[in-house]
């Protein structure tokens, strides 16, 4: 084997090793000239960097990741010569190809994520959940103003409306998880949206999950939560 052939073979092996993985994450950050992108996930309650890429002129990026199972990851942008917040986009990572398109000015707010089935259902839920959150803010504002004016009937009416809205949100979340019980997003929603719901309600939902969902990362966390609740 000649020296040139040997070097080419070594280079190929290095590139092959560096590109191994079951998830290809690509995308564009419009307007970004310089900065560093990090892929992160939560490990033992801490946010941990998995991979990073320095951006210098080209706003397009690619990460080849090896993930064990569907899990919420984060694309974090650390900007150079920029004031304000460093931004972070959550996305439901799973095997295959995922694309994220966003902009420098509104990194998280303008993000469009496609390619993940769990992400699709998660986004569907978030769209509805935003309506709940917006309505909740309106009611909180009205409740505050009613307390300022001291009109007892208005105070009671707003309190009742807030409780009714909360109940509707919990029922919607539970129903959404039950309908999509074969997806990892189902237990994730229980953990992040209604972890303080009645134990019996969470337990009933958990029991509808198929084996695959129960054995997922978030399925195991829901089981742990229920065990702790029942023990206490």
């Amino acid at each position: 084997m000649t020296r040139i052939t040997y070097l080419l073979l070594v280079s190929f092996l290095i590139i092959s090793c560096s590109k191994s993985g079951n998830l290809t994450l690509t995308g564009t950050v419009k307007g970004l000239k310089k900065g560093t992108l990090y892929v992160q996930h939560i490990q033992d309650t801490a946010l941990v960097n998995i991979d990073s890429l320095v951006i210098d002129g080209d706003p397009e990026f690619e990460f080849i990741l090896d993930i064990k199972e569907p899990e919420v990851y984060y694309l974090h942008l650390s900007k150079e010569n920029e004031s304000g917040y460093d931004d972070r986009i959550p996305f439901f990572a799973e095997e295959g190809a995922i694309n994220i398109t966003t902009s420098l000015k509104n990194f998280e707010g303008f993000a469009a994520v496609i390619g993940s089935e769990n992400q699709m259902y998660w986004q569907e839920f978030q769209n509805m959940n935003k309506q709940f959150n917006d309505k909740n803010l309106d009611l909180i504002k009205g409740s505050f103003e009613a307390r300022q004016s001291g009109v007892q009937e208005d105070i009671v009416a707003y309190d009742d409306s807030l409780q009714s809205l909360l109940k509707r949100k919990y029922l919607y979340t539970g129903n959404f998880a039950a309908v999509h019980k074969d997806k990892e997003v189902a237990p994730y929603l229980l953990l992040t949206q209604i972890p303080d719901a009645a134990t019996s309600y969470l337990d009933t939902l958990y029991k509808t999950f198929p084996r695959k969902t129960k054995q997922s990362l978030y399925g195991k966390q829901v089981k742990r939560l229920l065990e702790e609740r029942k023990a206490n």
Side-chain angles (χ1 to χ4, degrees), residues 5-205:
T5 303
Y6 174 77
L7 291 174
L8 288 174
L9 178 60
V10 170
S11 298
F12 174 77
L13 290 173
I14 291 174
I15 293 172
S16 298
C17 290
S18 66
K19 292 294 183 180
S20 64
N22 54 13
L23 167 60
T24 302
L25 175 65
T26 59
T28 305
V29 183
K30 297 176 182 177
L32 179 61
K33 300 300 182 183
K34 285 184 177 294
T36 303
L37 288 171
Y38 296 90
V39 177
Q40 305 171 320
H41 78 151
I42 295 176
Q43 182 176 319
D44 298 328
T45 71
L47 207 53
V48 178
N49 292 333
I50 298 173
D51 202 353
S52 64
L53 176 67
V54 175
I55 300 296
D56 188 7
D58 186 356
E60 297 186 355
F61 63 86
E62 179 182 83
F63 292 96
I64 306 297
L65 306 170
D66 191 18
I67 63 171
K68 295 180 180 179
E69 59 179 305
E71 179 184 350
V72 172
Y73 276 37
Y74 300 86
L75 181 66
H76 172 59
L77 171 61
S78 178
K79 296 170 286 187
E80 291 187 8
N81 303 319
E82 288 283 342
S83 59
Y85 298 103
D86 286 333
D87 300 295
R88 186 171 283 109
I89 298 170
F91 65 97
F92 226 111
E94 57 187 16
E95 289 188 23
I98 294 177
N99 180 269
I100 299 178
T101 302
T102 187
S103 70
L104 175 63
K105 290 184 177 179
N106 199 339
F107 187 72
E108 183 176 348
F110 287 170
V113 183
I114 59 173
S116 162
E117 193 171 7
N118 274 290
Q119 176 71 31
M120 179 181 68
Y121 291 123
W122 189 25
Q123 186 61 56
E124 179 185 339
F125 174 85
Q126 288 175 318
N127 292 339
M128 184 63 187
N129 195 46
K130 184 179 183 302
Q131 297 181 38
F132 282 118
N133 292 339
D134 290 345
K135 181 63 175 177
N136 187 63
L137 288 175
D138 290 340
L139 290 174
I140 289 175
K141 179 183 177 182
S143 178
F144 175 78
E145 292 173 349
R147 282 171 165 74
Q148 290 290 96
S149 64
V151 180
Q152 192 61 32
E153 290 183 356
D154 289 347
I155 294 173
V156 173
Y158 275 110
D159 286 347
D160 289 345
S161 295
L162 282 165
Q163 287 299 315
S164 176
L165 182 68
L166 182 64
K167 183 178 180 180
R168 284 167 51 206
K169 175 181 176 178
Y170 276 43
L171 289 174
Y172 174 79
T173 303
N175 183 65
F176 192 93
V179 170
H180 303 293
K181 60 188 177 183
D182 60 330
K183 303 301 177 186
E184 289 78 6
V185 71
Y188 178 77
L189 291 178
L190 301 190
L191 291 167
T192 59
Q193 299 298 320
I194 56 172
D196 55 346
T199 302
S200 57
Y201 183 53
L202 293 176
D203 192 37
T204 298
L205 291 168

